[in-house]
Amino acid sequence: MERPDVAPYDALLLVSFGGPEKPADVFPFLENVTAGRGIPRERLVEVGQHYELFGGRSPINDLNRDLLAGIENDLAEAGVDLPVYWGNRNWDPYLTDAVQRMKEDGVTRAACFVTSAYSSWSSCRQYRENLFDAVAAVPGAPVLDKLRHYFNHPGFVEPVVDAVLAALAGLPDDVRTGASLVFVTHSIPLAMAESSGPTGGAYVAQHRDVAAEVAVRVAEETGVRRDHALVYCSRSGPPQMPWLEPDVNDHLELLHANGVPAAVLVPVGFVSDHMEVVYDLDTEGLATAERLGLPVRRAATAGTDPRFVAMVRDLLLERAAAERGEEVARVSVGAIGPLWDRCPVGCCPNARGDRPALCGEDA
């Protein structure tokens, strides 16, 4: 078997958010996440209590370990001989430490897969700023290239479709046909959403595009067209700052008030079952549904679905070919089409002032 060509890359870097792994980590982690954002201490204490329900430990690092292992296995089975590293923005293993390890191992250029699929400052630009900081802190660091957004890649969308179908199958027979699809993502400040992407509005538009595509495919599979909506969770900013709405719990209240007989919660904004999913949906959202007497099932995230894992390899080989100057067929579904390799100038600006970032046209 001919080995796939990954030149010019000699490593892959898995880039994620990070999370606490024991109770003593929780408050320092939350301070890392919210540094400079003016989040009230009371809100940090409140969020910290969410972690207490799960032993003071976020699921995200274990999920990333599973994803890392899945990527390594997939690459090996495909004949791709490439080391995979892992670095987080907000907790150990930190990005700077990962970049240092790559340098010590002789890595010269690495492709970066970020576990955040959409465009906004917090879901893209901030990662690029952190990559810049990590490289600046390590003299002689390897060149880092961020792989493109994948919210509309079949490797992400198809597992979501199947997860919705499985969740629908878990609803009682008498309410399944009338069930509404509730697509959930992380709320962000309204100003951030409005400035996301190169011309604004990308964060919401991308989510709506994926939700519409999933809803159509589910209708094709079931023969039933269902209402669907995009809603939000995990608001954390100052009370006076407007954030994207409606909140998922408020939307469940509305569905019940309107006589909708059931719903499926679809965490389309998340790639795995980390804290926003297991608390905001599995704990708080399902508690709201139970109080209302509304039958609700939660669809699974892509996680380590083989199609999602293989997508990472597809994005890697696609970008490697593009960097070698070859013609590349970029796959996508939905109406938006495949996005760029390098973020355009001015894309997803930092509201607190310009900060240098890697992996953009201005880098």
Side-chain angles (χ1 to χ4, degrees):
M1 180 179 69
E2 183 178 351
R3 289 181 178 273
D5 190 356
V6 294
Y9 298 113
D10 49 8
L12 176 70
L13 176 61
L14 174 64
V15 182
S16 194
F17 192 81
E21 301 210 58
K22 58 182 184 298
D25 295 344
V26 172
F27 205 80
F29 162 75
L30 293 174
E31 289 180 318
N32 283 352
V33 172
T34 61
R37 289 171 52 192
I39 306 298
R41 181 180 176 85
E42 312 86 74
R43 174 59 180 166
L44 298 188
V45 171
E46 177 186 341
V47 174
Q49 292 170 348
H50 300 174
Y51 289 92
E52 290 179 10
L53 297 175
F54 304 93
R57 179 183 179 88
S58 168
I60 193 170
N61 277 352
D62 286 337
L63 294 167
N64 280 321
R65 291 182 182 101
D66 292 342
L67 178 58
L68 181 69
I71 293 170
E72 289 174 332
N73 291 337
D74 176 82
L75 293 177
E77 290 174 1
V80 178
D81 184 17
L82 201 71
V84 184
Y85 296 81
W86 168 33
N88 291 324
R89 283 184 39 219
N90 297 297
W91 204 251
D92 186 64
Y94 286 102
L95 274 173
T96 300
D97 297 332
V99 170
Q100 180 66 41
R101 286 194 297 274
M102 287 194 290
K103 177 201 169 183
E104 292 170 355
D105 291 345
V107 173
T108 61
R109 190 169 182 180
C112 302
F113 177 76
V114 177
T115 59
S116 181
Y118 298 87
S119 296
S120 75
W121 174 77
S122 61
S123 57
C124 181
R125 172 82 191 197
Q126 190 175 21
Y127 282 92
R128 294 173 49 220
E129 292 172 355
N130 294 145
L131 288 171
F132 179 93
D133 294 342
V135 166
V138 180
V143 174
L144 302 181
D145 292 335
K146 178 182 177 291
L147 299 176
R148 70 174 171 94
H149 293 287
Y150 51 86
F151 62 89
N152 56 0
H153 191 287
F156 177 65
V157 174
E158 290 171 6
V160 175
V161 172
D162 287 349
V164 174
L165 293 171
L168 283 168
L171 286 169
D173 294 345
D174 59 336
V175 297
R176 185 179 303 118
T177 298
S180 179
L181 305 183
V182 182
F183 293 89
V184 189
T185 191
H186 205 302
S187 186
I188 60 174
L190 190 58
M192 186 190 300
E194 291 174 344
S195 65
S196 59
T199 58
Y203 185 77
V204 172
Q206 290 167 7
H207 281 87
R208 285 181 174 163
D209 190 51
V210 177
E213 178 70 16
V214 172
V216 166
R217 293 194 181 203
V218 169
E220 291 171 349
E221 291 291 330
T222 62
V224 178
R225 293 183 62 86
R226 292 177 170 83
D227 289 338
H228 73 273
L230 176 65
V231 305
Y232 304 93
C233 69
S234 304
R235 188 198 195 285
S236 62
Q240 67 274 17
M241 179 184 292
W243 281 52
L244 289 172
E245 296 177 337
D247 177 78
V248 58
N249 296 285
D250 294 338
H251 186 72
L252 292 175
E253 297 267 8
L254 179 64
L255 292 180
H256 180 256
N258 288 342
V260 174
V264 171
L265 296 177
V266 190
V268 72
F270 308 97
V271 303
S272 62
D273 289 7
H274 46 80
M275 188 57 69
E276 286 83 353
V277 177
V278 299
Y279 180 78
D280 293 80
L281 301 189
D282 293 351
T283 304
E284 197 171 55
L286 293 185
T288 296
E290 183 176 5
R291 174 175 56 79
L292 296 170
L294 180 68
V296 168
R297 298 292 182 272
R298 198 265 287 176
T301 51
T304 55
D305 184 288
R307 293 165 293 183
F308 182 66
V309 174
M311 179 197 73
V312 180
R313 169 168 44 89
D314 182 64
L315 294 174
L316 167 67
L317 296 177
E318 170 195 291
R319 182 62 181 275
E323 292 299 316
R324 295 193 302 269
E326 300 172 10
E327 289 291 325
V328 177
R330 302 171 186 269
V331 298
S332 67
V333 297
I336 292 177
L339 267 60
W340 44 80
D341 284 336
R342 293 178 177 84
C343 290
V345 175
C347 193
C348 301
N350 186 333
R352 296 194 296 275
D354 285 340
R355 280 192 59 198
L358 291 187
C359 312
E361 291 179 352
D362 54 347

